[in-house]
Amino acid sequence: MKILVVEDEPKTLHAIRQGLEENSYEVDIAYDGLIAKQLAIRNSYALIITDVIMPGLNGFGLTRELREKGVQTPILLLTALGETEDKVHGFDAGADQYLVKPFQFVELLARVRSLTKRSTGALLTHQVLRFEDLELNLETKVVTRQGQAIDLTAREFTLLEYLMRNQGRVLSKVQLAENVWEIGFDTGTNFVEVYINYLRKKIDKRFDTKLIHTVFGMGYVLKKEA
């Protein structure tokens, strides 16, 4: 299983590389985002771990450009920027997880195992979540409604998966932030609302029956329109 690690600080880079190799991962390294972009497009990786603050192309830019190129490899951002708005910025760019420096290697390893299992399909058999005419395939990452394929980003897919696993339940913004983004919800931000709107445009807009509903003052629910 091959991982790409992107970090411009040599000591940190080699410490991460050594730790991963000691846990049986194969590791490629890059010292900046531009080289990392070339490697990620050319090669197949189970995971990309990248610092945010780097010369040239930073981690946010690298993530965004890879997603625009169609690279769906899970991306874990490592950074000293720990504010909620920084995390939201990273998730908006297309990152899957965010780990704030300084961190213990055992914590990084836990994130790596989680993300590589998700990306390789380990621990999954053929699984399809269904609600009304909406289907979400956990193996192929394909979403369809009335047989029509719907193109979702990685974060939109995760949000829809959580809604479908909790169909009929009203989910608060706090629950969604903690379970989909794995961060605490800041009342001064509206990223949950923004992503719900993204999902509505793709899931509901072209169809007569609406499935994603707002319960004012409480949250959101996946249910059939009354």
Side-chain angles (χ1 to χ4, degrees), residues 52 60 77 79 81-100 111 155 181-184 191 195:
V52 168
F60 293 145
L77 293 178
T79 182
L81 303 174
E83 298 298 324
T84 298
E85 63 186 69
D86 297 314
K87 295 180 180 180
V88 172
H89 191 183
F91 290 132
D92 283 347
D96 294 271
Q97 285 198 26
Y98 203 109
L99 187 57
V100 178
R111 302 289 183 96
R155 189 59 52 183
W181 282 267
E182 299 183 2
I183 60 174
F191 67 92
Y195 270 85

Side-chain angles (χ1 to χ4, degrees), residues 53-103:
I53 302 175
M54 298 183 293
L57 184 64
N58 67 24
F60 293 145
L62 171 63
T63 300
R64 183 174 293 104
E65 292 191 18
L66 289 178
R67 295 307 186 224
E68 289 173 353
K69 290 287 186 181
V71 176
Q72 294 301 312
T73 305
I75 297 176
L76 170 61
L77 293 178
L78 304 178
T79 182
L81 303 174
E83 298 298 324
T84 298
E85 63 186 69
D86 297 314
K87 295 180 180 180
V88 172
H89 191 183
F91 290 132
D92 283 347
D96 294 271
Q97 285 198 26
Y98 203 109
L99 187 57
V100 178
K101 297 178 179 180
F103 55 84

Side-chain angles (χ1 to χ4, degrees), residues 138-150:
L138 294 167
E139 278 190 310
T140 64
K141 306 301 183 186
V142 171
V143 175
T144 61
R145 186 166 184 194
Q146 294 181 10
Q148 300 179 41
I150 298 172

Side-chain angles (χ1 to χ4, degrees), residues 39 45 73 103-104 140 172 187 198:
L39 289 171
Y45 294 104
T73 305
F103 55 84
Q104 297 294 320
T140 64
S172 69
T187 55
Y198 288 160

